[in-house]
Structures are given as C-alpha cells and as structure tokens.
Amino acid sequence: MAEGSDALRRRGGAAVSPKGQGSGDELKLKEVARSEAGAYKGNGGESSDPLAPANSHVGLAQRDLLRLAEQRFGQPDVSIHPRLRSTGGLSLTHLWTHEDWELYASSNRWIDALMEWPHSSVLRRTAAPIVALIVFSLAVALLNQAILPGWGVTFRLVLPMAPLSASGGSLALLLVFRTNQAYDRLKEARQNWGALVLRTREIMQVLLAHSIYKDGLRVEENDKDVALIARFLAVYGWVLRVRLTPLMRGLGEDDEAIRALLPEREAEWILASRVQARPGQVLMRLRALIAGLHRRQALGDILQIQEEQLALLGVVGGCCERLLSSPIGPTYTRHSMRVMLLWLFALPLAMDTGSTAQLLISVVITAYIMLGIDEMAIQIEQPFALLPMQQLAIASTRGVAETFRPMPDSFEHEPPATRE
C-alpha cells in the first residue's frame, strides 16, 4: 500500500483564473481546498493532501477512485479460478514486485520448488491419471510375473518398444504445438490488459492537458465533464473483468464498484445492461462525453487522438471476447489427449523387464512429465481464469486518479532557480 500512500502525500492545488491573477476570493478558495484536503485520509492512516482540489469535481472523482483502489487492494480476487489460486508460491495470479523476482531467481529456488511440490496444482490435477497408470502397471506386472507363469503359460503380455519410440516424436509435437498456442493466448490476454491500463491513463492525461490546463494554468469550465470521463475510464476495467469471469464465481461486489465510481443515474444505466454489453456501453458514454467537450471547443485539435485511443480500448475488449469465446480447436485437444493416453498405457507393456519397482518408477516419472505438460496448457489456455484482473483494474483506476496531480501554476513564467 506504499504506492497509494506516497501518491496521496503529494501536494494539492486549487483553481486559478485563466489569466493567472489570483483574486482575494480565489486565494480563499485555495485555503479552503487545502483545509478540506486534510480531511481525506488515504490508506486509513494520517491525513494527507489529495492530488486535486478537494472542493472540485475532479477532486471528488479522484477521492472515489483512490478509495475504491484502497478498499480492493489485498482482497481475494474471485475472478481467479479456485484451483489456480496461489497457495503461497510464486504464480501468475498476482502482479510481481521486485521482491518476487528476487525470490524467483534465488539460489534456493530448487529447494523451494521441492518444498512446494505437494501443493502443486499440476500434481493435484494429474494425480488421478497417474494413479490409474500405477494400478494398470501393477496389474501388468502381476499378470506377467505371477499369474501367467503360475498357470504354466509361456505367453507374456508385452509390446515391442519400437512403435512407442517411433510415435513418441509425433506425440511430442502434438504437445509442444498445443502448449505454444496456449502460451500465445496467455501472452495476448496479458498484453491487452496492459494496454487497458496504459490507454485509460493516456486518455486522461491528454484530456487534462487540453481541457483543464491552458498555458500551464488550471481552469474550471470543464471540470464536471472531465471528472465524469475519469470515472467511466476507471470503471471500464471493472466491467470488462465481470464480463470475462463466470457469474457463478460471485462478482456481485463489482456492482458496488460501479455504484461507488459513477453517479447514481449513470450507474443504474450501466447496470441495466447485459453483462456482455457493459464494456461497450461504457465506451459509448465516453465518446458522448468527449464529443460534448469538442462541441464546446474545449478539446482543441485532439478529438481524433481521443477517438483513436477509445477505439484501441474497444480493440482490447474485442480481443478479450475472442479469447474467451474461441479456444484452441477442441478436436485437436481431444486427439492429443487420446494419443497420449494410448501411449502412456502402452508404456508398461513395453517396459516390463521383470522388476516391478523399476516399472513403476519409470511409468510414474514419464506420466508426470507428459501429463504435466498437458495440464499446464489446460491451465493457461483460458487466461482470464489465471490473470490477476482485479489488480489490473486497480492499476487502471489508480492510474486515472493520479493524473489529477495539479501542475505548477506555470512552468514558463517562473524564473529559473539561481545557484549561489
């Protein structure tokens, strides 16, 4: 939570006239803004100045955005599938920090990997087929080493190793292709969510620079609309997160997030839409608000830039929709699984050398490796069950809020600092 605390300690500001002449009333407004800023407690700690004037629309919007980010930070992310949630080890279910990278590259990582093995999601998910292979291997060993010789039968239930060796390369290609495709899907999903965080912040920065600040001076004419745009930019990540998460997982609290960020009528308008349509509704409202500023000649010549940025946000949502609705070909997946099962269950018949212990060890190691590769592909093929979308939505919300940090009254008119 240090990031939010540091941000909230930055100094506040107040509006000035377009000409930069601070009248007596304006000076009083500055003092009121500073005094009201002290009433806002970031992180539940000591009072700290918000980044924007507390008595302005953008100040209220910033307060609501940062408050939601603080409330949600550290809460369990229910958008992550329960079977994929981290049990203490490093994983993709949270955003990494410098400490995570240090631990990841630690010289003790081998020991950590062994200690965390019993909690591995891959081990849990592959346990059933491995147990089935163990039972089958024991049956083959018992049949070949005890039952058939006891009956005086010289026939042994074995297969030559050559067919397995010849088909092993084809099976490896099936697994590698599928795993690569799954990782490409995960990479694309993460890049799109990263683009969402970047685009929302960029839209807000450009909008503030052209509609709230004129020649380095802050004006108030567009304060209300800019604040509402900031709220809708922040809410976009939350509605997209709900769209990409099964409703059965319980994301009802995100309705509360929408109500916390938007005015009542705006929130009810969004919530009245289908979950699938809400990201598009948010973008439509953003376009309408930006068009309204343009009609009042408050944007200068940046309308086309903002429209392009909003279009890129729409591309983010569209790409996520495509990844959710279009998996790797199920026929390909089923065929690779069937080939792998045939290969693994033929393995005990080709490796029965007379030692049951050697047979079991060889089968278990081989099965764990191959089934583990398949399981990793299954886990990442649907990337939205794995990605920390709550943390990414928080990052987008906080990024929008922190653009409200007021600039100095004028960079140009201040004399350069002299050095003695």
Side-chain angles (χ1 to χ4, degrees):
M1 305 297 285
E3 179 183 349
S5 300
D6 293 341
L8 289 171
R9 292 192 184 99
R10 299 170 184 166
R11 70 177 181 87
V16 297
S17 64
K19 296 182 180 180
Q21 304 297 326
S23 64
D25 291 337
E26 288 169 343
L27 292 175
K28 290 180 181 179
L29 280 174
K30 289 184 178 181
E31 295 300 322
V32 170
R34 292 192 182 99
S35 63
E36 290 183 357
Y40 176 64
K41 299 181 182 293
N43 286 334
E46 297 296 327
S47 298
S48 54
D49 290 339
L51 309 183
N55 62 337
S56 65
H57 288 286
V58 293
L60 293 174
Q62 183 196 52
R63 179 201 64 187
D64 292 340
L65 267 59
L66 289 176
R67 178 178 294 171
L68 177 67
E70 297 295 336
Q71 289 174 349
R72 294 300 177 86
F73 189 86
Q75 290 185 2
D77 190 350
V78 297
S79 62
I80 298 173
H81 197 286
R83 63 178 169 84
L84 300 178
R85 290 177 189 167
S86 175
T87 56
L90 296 174
S91 73
L92 291 175
T93 58
H94 67 276
L95 300 182
W96 283 32
T97 63
H98 293 293
E99 290 76 13
D100 292 324
W101 282 108
E102 289 291 334
L103 182 60
Y104 180 72
S106 170
S107 59
N108 296 325
R109 63 186 183 276
W110 306 103
I111 299 175
D112 294 336
L114 290 174
M115 296 296 292
E116 295 168 2
W117 203 345
H119 306 289
S120 167
S121 61
V122 173
L123 179 60
R124 292 197 308 268
R125 299 276 293 177
T126 58
I130 289 175
V131 170
L133 276 168
I134 291 174
V135 173
F136 181 73
S137 300
L138 287 174
V140 169
L142 181 63
L143 185 66
N144 287 336
Q145 297 173 24
I147 298 178
L148 292 180
W151 290 347
V153 178
T154 58
F155 169 78
R156 290 170 59 85
L157 192 60
V158 295
L159 291 176
M161 180 60 76
L164 292 180
S165 300
S167 60
S170 300
L171 176 58
L173 287 176
L174 286 172
L175 290 175
V176 167
F177 176 81
R178 184 164 175 273
T179 304
N180 287 342
Q181 290 293 309
Y183 267 102
D184 286 343
R185 291 169 59 84
L186 175 64
K187 178 182 177 181
E188 184 179 0
R190 183 60 183 87
Q191 286 177 337
N192 275 286
W193 269 92
L196 184 150
V197 176
L198 174 65
R199 301 298 177 195
T200 52
R201 184 171 65 238
E202 284 188 350
I203 290 171
M204 202 67 243
Q205 288 175 347
V206 174
L207 188 66
L208 285 173
H210 287 264
S211 62
I212 293 294
Y213 293 99
K214 301 291 185 182
D215 298 325
L217 304 177
R218 186 175 184 278
V219 294
E220 293 182 335
E221 288 85 351
N222 307 315
D223 186 87
K224 183 176 181 180
D225 285 343
V226 170
L228 189 55
I229 289 172
R231 292 176 181 274
F232 271 100
L233 283 173
V235 89
Y236 184 72
W238 297 100
V239 297
L240 184 60
R241 171 182 177 241
V242 175
R243 169 66 188 100
L244 301 174
T245 305
L247 295 178
M248 66 185 68
R249 212 165 293 163
L251 281 177
E253 76 277 4
D254 280 348
D255 289 356
E256 300 174 8
I258 294 172
R259 289 191 172 95
L261 292 176
L262 298 179
E264 182 178 357
R265 290 183 62 187
E266 304 277 1
E268 294 302 326
W269 178 69
I270 291 293
L271 293 174
S273 305
R274 296 182 304 117
V275 169
Q276 294 84 350
R278 290 177 186 175
Q281 297 289 89
V282 171
L283 291 179
M284 185 172 68
R285 190 70 178 105
L286 284 168
R287 285 191 167 94
L289 290 168
I290 290 176
L293 288 175
H294 178 68
R295 285 193 295 271
R296 297 202 303 272
Q297 299 182 347
L299 294 182
D301 57 354
I302 67 164
L303 176 64
Q304 184 64 30
I305 296 175
Q306 296 296 71
E307 283 289 345
E308 290 174 356
Q309 294 289 345
L310 288 175
L312 290 173
L313 272 185
V315 170
V316 167
C319 289
C320 291
E321 292 267 3
R322 173 175 53 78
L323 291 172
L324 179 66
S325 60
S326 303
I328 299 173
T331 301
Y332 183 94
T333 301
R334 286 192 295 266
H335 179 69
S336 62
M337 292 174 61
R338 290 163 182 163
V339 170
M340 182 169 54
L341 288 175
L342 286 173
W343 197 91
L344 288 174
F345 277 93
L347 194 61
L349 301 175
M351 294 184 64
D352 186 11
T353 59
S355 172
T356 304
Q358 290 180 3
L359 175 64
L360 291 177
I361 292 173
S362 300
V363 168
V364 168
I365 292 176
T366 306
Y368 179 71
I369 293 173
M370 301 191 73
L371 292 170
I373 294 173
D374 177 76
E375 177 59 29
M376 286 189 294
I378 285 289
Q379 289 189 8
I380 63 176
E381 183 179 351
Q382 208 289 60
F384 307 113
L386 179 68
L387 288 179
M389 291 190 291
Q390 176 169 281
Q391 285 185 280
L392 292 166
I394 289 172
S396 173
T397 302
R398 184 173 287 161
V400 171
E402 290 177 350
T403 60
F404 287 125
R405 181 187 183 190
M407 291 188 288
D409 287 347
S410 173
F411 289 106
E412 299 176 355
H413 303 157
E414 292 180 0
T418 58
R419 296 182 180 179
E420 297 181 358

PDB file of all heavy atoms in Angstrom, residues 18 29 63 67-68 72 96 184 199 307-308 314 325 331 338 419:
ATOM      1  N   PRO A  18      -8.116  31.961 -15.746  1.00  0.00           N
ATOM      2  CA  PRO A  18      -7.337  31.725 -16.953  1.00  0.00           C
ATOM      3  C   PRO A  18      -6.178  32.691 -17.120  1.00  0.00           C
ATOM      4  O   PRO A  18      -5.187  32.370 -17.735  1.00  0.00           O
ATOM      5  CB  PRO A  18      -8.367  31.889 -18.087  1.00  0.00           C
ATOM      6  CG  PRO A  18      -9.682  31.570 -17.440  1.00  0.00           C
ATOM      7  CD  PRO A  18      -9.562  32.071 -16.046  1.00  0.00           C
ATOM      8  N   LEU A  29     -10.404  30.375  -1.762  1.00  0.00           N
ATOM      9  CA  LEU A  29     -10.719  29.043  -2.259  1.00  0.00           C
ATOM     10  C   LEU A  29      -9.525  28.103  -2.122  1.00  0.00           C
ATOM     11  O   LEU A  29      -9.669  26.932  -1.812  1.00  0.00           O
ATOM     12  CB  LEU A  29     -11.158  29.118  -3.722  1.00  0.00           C
ATOM     13  CG  LEU A  29     -12.601  29.536  -3.979  1.00  0.00           C
ATOM     14  CD1 LEU A  29     -12.834  29.695  -5.479  1.00  0.00           C
ATOM     15  CD2 LEU A  29     -13.570  28.522  -3.393  1.00  0.00           C
ATOM     16  N   ARG A  63     -10.949  11.207  -5.270  1.00  0.00           N
ATOM     17  CA  ARG A  63     -11.165  10.613  -3.949  1.00  0.00           C
ATOM     18  C   ARG A  63     -11.879   9.274  -4.065  1.00  0.00           C
ATOM     19  O   ARG A  63     -11.477   8.280  -3.447  1.00  0.00           O
ATOM     20  CB  ARG A  63     -11.996  11.559  -3.089  1.00  0.00           C
ATOM     21  CG  ARG A  63     -12.303  11.025  -1.684  1.00  0.00           C
ATOM     22  CD  ARG A  63     -13.506  11.726  -1.088  1.00  0.00           C
ATOM     23  NE  ARG A  63     -14.714  11.432  -1.874  1.00  0.00           N
ATOM     24  CZ  ARG A  63     -15.886  12.013  -1.667  1.00  0.00           C
ATOM     25  NH1 ARG A  63     -16.012  12.941  -0.740  1.00  0.00           N
ATOM     26  NH2 ARG A  63     -16.936  11.683  -2.410  1.00  0.00           N
ATOM     27  N   ARG A  67     -10.208   5.691  -3.222  1.00  0.00           N
ATOM     28  CA  ARG A  67     -10.843   4.952  -2.124  1.00  0.00           C
ATOM     29  C   ARG A  67     -11.191   3.533  -2.560  1.00  0.00           C
ATOM     30  O   ARG A  67     -10.945   2.571  -1.826  1.00  0.00           O
ATOM     31  CB  ARG A  67     -12.101   5.695  -1.671  1.00  0.00           C
ATOM     32  CG  ARG A  67     -12.869   4.989  -0.553  1.00  0.00           C
ATOM     33  CD  ARG A  67     -14.069   5.828  -0.142  1.00  0.00           C
ATOM     34  NE  ARG A  67     -13.659   7.083   0.458  1.00  0.00           N
ATOM     35  CZ  ARG A  67     -14.502   8.076   0.746  1.00  0.00           C
ATOM     36  NH1 ARG A  67     -15.782   7.959   0.434  1.00  0.00           N
ATOM     37  NH2 ARG A  67     -14.058   9.185   1.301  1.00  0.00           N
ATOM     38  N   LEU A  68     -11.743   3.385  -3.778  1.00  0.00           N
ATOM     39  CA  LEU A  68     -12.054   2.048  -4.274  1.00  0.00           C
ATOM     40  C   LEU A  68     -10.784   1.218  -4.441  1.00  0.00           C
ATOM     41  O   LEU A  68     -10.749   0.041  -4.079  1.00  0.00           O
ATOM     42  CB  LEU A  68     -12.791   2.134  -5.611  1.00  0.00           C
ATOM     43  CG  LEU A  68     -13.114   0.797  -6.270  1.00  0.00           C
ATOM     44  CD1 LEU A  68     -14.142   0.025  -5.450  1.00  0.00           C
ATOM     45  CD2 LEU A  68     -13.614   0.989  -7.702  1.00  0.00           C
ATOM     46  N   ARG A  72     -10.101  -2.343  -2.429  1.00  0.00           N
ATOM     47  CA  ARG A  72      -9.967  -3.620  -3.128  1.00  0.00           C
ATOM     48  C   ARG A  72      -8.552  -4.188  -3.058  1.00  0.00           C
ATOM     49  O   ARG A  72      -8.348  -5.367  -3.322  1.00  0.00           O
ATOM     50  CB  ARG A  72     -10.369  -3.453  -4.597  1.00  0.00           C
ATOM     51  CG  ARG A  72     -11.836  -3.141  -4.762  1.00  0.00           C
ATOM     52  CD  ARG A  72     -12.701  -4.278  -4.175  1.00  0.00           C
ATOM     53  NE  ARG A  72     -14.097  -3.965  -4.258  1.00  0.00           N
ATOM     54  CZ  ARG A  72     -14.862  -4.206  -5.313  1.00  0.00           C
ATOM     55  NH1 ARG A  72     -14.322  -4.763  -6.385  1.00  0.00           N
ATOM     56  NH2 ARG A  72     -16.134  -3.902  -5.300  1.00  0.00           N
ATOM     57  N   TRP A  96       3.730  -9.142 -10.112  1.00  0.00           N
ATOM     58  CA  TRP A  96       5.002  -9.351  -9.423  1.00  0.00           C
ATOM     59  C   TRP A  96       5.642  -8.024  -9.016  1.00  0.00           C
ATOM     60  O   TRP A  96       5.455  -6.989  -9.654  1.00  0.00           O
ATOM     61  CB  TRP A  96       5.951 -10.136 -10.321  1.00  0.00           C
ATOM     62  CG  TRP A  96       5.639 -11.597 -10.371  1.00  0.00           C
ATOM     63  CD1 TRP A  96       4.403 -12.169 -10.257  1.00  0.00           C
ATOM     64  CD2 TRP A  96       6.556 -12.679 -10.548  1.00  0.00           C
ATOM     65  NE1 TRP A  96       4.495 -13.534 -10.363  1.00  0.00           N
ATOM     66  CE2 TRP A  96       5.812 -13.871 -10.542  1.00  0.00           C
ATOM     67  CE3 TRP A  96       7.931 -12.755 -10.733  1.00  0.00           C
ATOM     68  CZ2 TRP A  96       6.394 -15.115 -10.697  1.00  0.00           C
ATOM     69  CZ3 TRP A  96       8.525 -13.997 -10.885  1.00  0.00           C
ATOM     70  CH2 TRP A  96       7.760 -15.163 -10.861  1.00  0.00           C
ATOM     71  N   ASP A 184       0.642 -18.440 -26.180  1.00  0.00           N
ATOM     72  CA  ASP A 184       0.338 -17.270 -27.008  1.00  0.00           C
ATOM     73  C   ASP A 184      -0.966 -16.616 -26.573  1.00  0.00           C
ATOM     74  O   ASP A 184      -1.082 -15.376 -26.573  1.00  0.00           O
ATOM     75  CB  ASP A 184       0.252 -17.674 -28.481  1.00  0.00           C
ATOM     76  CG  ASP A 184       1.619 -17.961 -29.088  1.00  0.00           C
ATOM     77  OD1 ASP A 184       2.632 -17.552 -28.483  1.00  0.00           O
ATOM     78  OD2 ASP A 184       1.672 -18.614 -30.151  1.00  0.00           O
ATOM     79  N   ARG A 199      -3.863   2.732 -21.863  1.00  0.00           N
ATOM     80  CA  ARG A 199      -4.752   3.604 -22.630  1.00  0.00           C
ATOM     81  C   ARG A 199      -5.610   4.482 -21.735  1.00  0.00           C
ATOM     82  O   ARG A 199      -5.823   5.668 -22.020  1.00  0.00           O
ATOM     83  CB  ARG A 199      -5.658   2.775 -23.542  1.00  0.00           C
ATOM     84  CG  ARG A 199      -4.950   1.898 -24.546  1.00  0.00           C
ATOM     85  CD  ARG A 199      -4.119   2.675 -25.521  1.00  0.00           C
ATOM     86  NE  ARG A 199      -3.404   1.795 -26.424  1.00  0.00           N
ATOM     87  CZ  ARG A 199      -2.400   2.160 -27.185  1.00  0.00           C
ATOM     88  NH1 ARG A 199      -1.983   3.410 -27.153  1.00  0.00           N
ATOM     89  NH2 ARG A 199      -1.790   1.291 -27.981  1.00  0.00           N
ATOM     90  N   GLU A 307     -10.452   9.758 -30.037  1.00  0.00           N
ATOM     91  CA  GLU A 307     -11.267   8.732 -30.688  1.00  0.00           C
ATOM     92  C   GLU A 307     -10.411   7.495 -31.002  1.00  0.00           C
ATOM     93  O   GLU A 307     -10.865   6.353 -30.860  1.00  0.00           O
ATOM     94  CB  GLU A 307     -11.893   9.279 -31.968  1.00  0.00           C
ATOM     95  CG  GLU A 307     -13.092  10.189 -31.739  1.00  0.00           C
ATOM     96  CD  GLU A 307     -14.307   9.414 -31.246  1.00  0.00           C
ATOM     97  OE1 GLU A 307     -14.321   8.176 -31.352  1.00  0.00           O
ATOM     98  OE2 GLU A 307     -15.249  10.055 -30.734  1.00  0.00           O
ATOM     99  N   GLU A 308      -9.188   7.723 -31.436  1.00  0.00           N
ATOM    100  CA  GLU A 308      -8.308   6.590 -31.726  1.00  0.00           C
ATOM    101  C   GLU A 308      -7.979   5.815 -30.461  1.00  0.00           C
ATOM    102  O   GLU A 308      -7.930   4.575 -30.469  1.00  0.00           O
ATOM    103  CB  GLU A 308      -7.019   7.093 -32.384  1.00  0.00           C
ATOM    104  CG  GLU A 308      -7.223   7.616 -33.808  1.00  0.00           C
ATOM    105  CD  GLU A 308      -5.968   8.241 -34.369  1.00  0.00           C
ATOM    106  OE1 GLU A 308      -4.968   8.342 -33.621  1.00  0.00           O
ATOM    107  OE2 GLU A 308      -5.992   8.642 -35.553  1.00  0.00           O
ATOM    108  N   GLY A 314     -11.607  -0.280 -27.318  1.00  0.00           N
ATOM    109  CA  GLY A 314     -12.574  -1.225 -27.870  1.00  0.00           C
ATOM    110  C   GLY A 314     -11.909  -2.470 -28.416  1.00  0.00           C
ATOM    111  O   GLY A 314     -12.437  -3.581 -28.282  1.00  0.00           O
ATOM    112  N   SER A 325     -14.197 -16.705 -26.162  1.00  0.00           N
ATOM    113  CA  SER A 325     -15.192 -17.481 -26.905  1.00  0.00           C
ATOM    114  C   SER A 325     -14.601 -18.466 -27.902  1.00  0.00           C
ATOM    115  O   SER A 325     -15.338 -19.305 -28.429  1.00  0.00           O
ATOM    116  CB  SER A 325     -16.137 -16.522 -27.641  1.00  0.00           C
ATOM    117  OG  SER A 325     -15.413 -15.709 -28.542  1.00  0.00           O
ATOM    118  N   THR A 331     -11.216 -30.480 -31.136  1.00  0.00           N
ATOM    119  CA  THR A 331     -10.871 -31.748 -31.787  1.00  0.00           C
ATOM    120  C   THR A 331      -9.386 -32.035 -31.653  1.00  0.00           C
ATOM    121  O   THR A 331      -8.981 -33.171 -31.364  1.00  0.00           O
ATOM    122  CB  THR A 331     -11.275 -31.707 -33.267  1.00  0.00           C
ATOM    123  OG1 THR A 331     -12.677 -31.467 -33.367  1.00  0.00           O
ATOM    124  CG2 THR A 331     -10.939 -33.015 -33.963  1.00  0.00           C
ATOM    125  N   ARG A 338      -6.097 -38.308 -26.321  1.00  0.00           N
ATOM    126  CA  ARG A 338      -6.295 -39.741 -26.575  1.00  0.00           C
ATOM    127  C   ARG A 338      -4.995 -40.409 -26.993  1.00  0.00           C
ATOM    128  O   ARG A 338      -4.677 -41.521 -26.538  1.00  0.00           O
ATOM    129  CB  ARG A 338      -7.361 -39.923 -27.649  1.00  0.00           C
ATOM    130  CG  ARG A 338      -8.759 -39.559 -27.181  1.00  0.00           C
ATOM    131  CD  ARG A 338      -9.704 -39.355 -28.348  1.00  0.00           C
ATOM    132  NE  ARG A 338     -11.036 -38.949 -27.909  1.00  0.00           N
ATOM    133  CZ  ARG A 338     -11.949 -38.402 -28.704  1.00  0.00           C
ATOM    134  NH1 ARG A 338     -11.666 -38.190 -29.986  1.00  0.00           N
ATOM    135  NH2 ARG A 338     -13.135 -38.058 -28.231  1.00  0.00           N
ATOM    136  N   ARG A 419      21.630  29.675  -8.456  1.00  0.00           N
ATOM    137  CA  ARG A 419      22.553  28.928  -7.600  1.00  0.00           C
ATOM    138  C   ARG A 419      23.625  29.883  -7.080  1.00  0.00           C
ATOM    139  O   ARG A 419      24.196  30.666  -7.839  1.00  0.00           O
ATOM    140  CB  ARG A 419      23.209  27.790  -8.371  1.00  0.00           C
ATOM    141  CG  ARG A 419      22.207  26.729  -8.832  1.00  0.00           C
ATOM    142  CD  ARG A 419      22.936  25.611  -9.552  1.00  0.00           C
ATOM    143  NE  ARG A 419      22.005  24.594  -9.998  1.00  0.00           N
ATOM    144  CZ  ARG A 419      22.383  23.502 -10.686  1.00  0.00           C
ATOM    145  NH1 ARG A 419      23.652  23.316 -11.006  1.00  0.00           N
ATOM    146  NH2 ARG A 419      21.479  22.640 -11.062  1.00  0.00           N
TER     147      ARG A 419
END
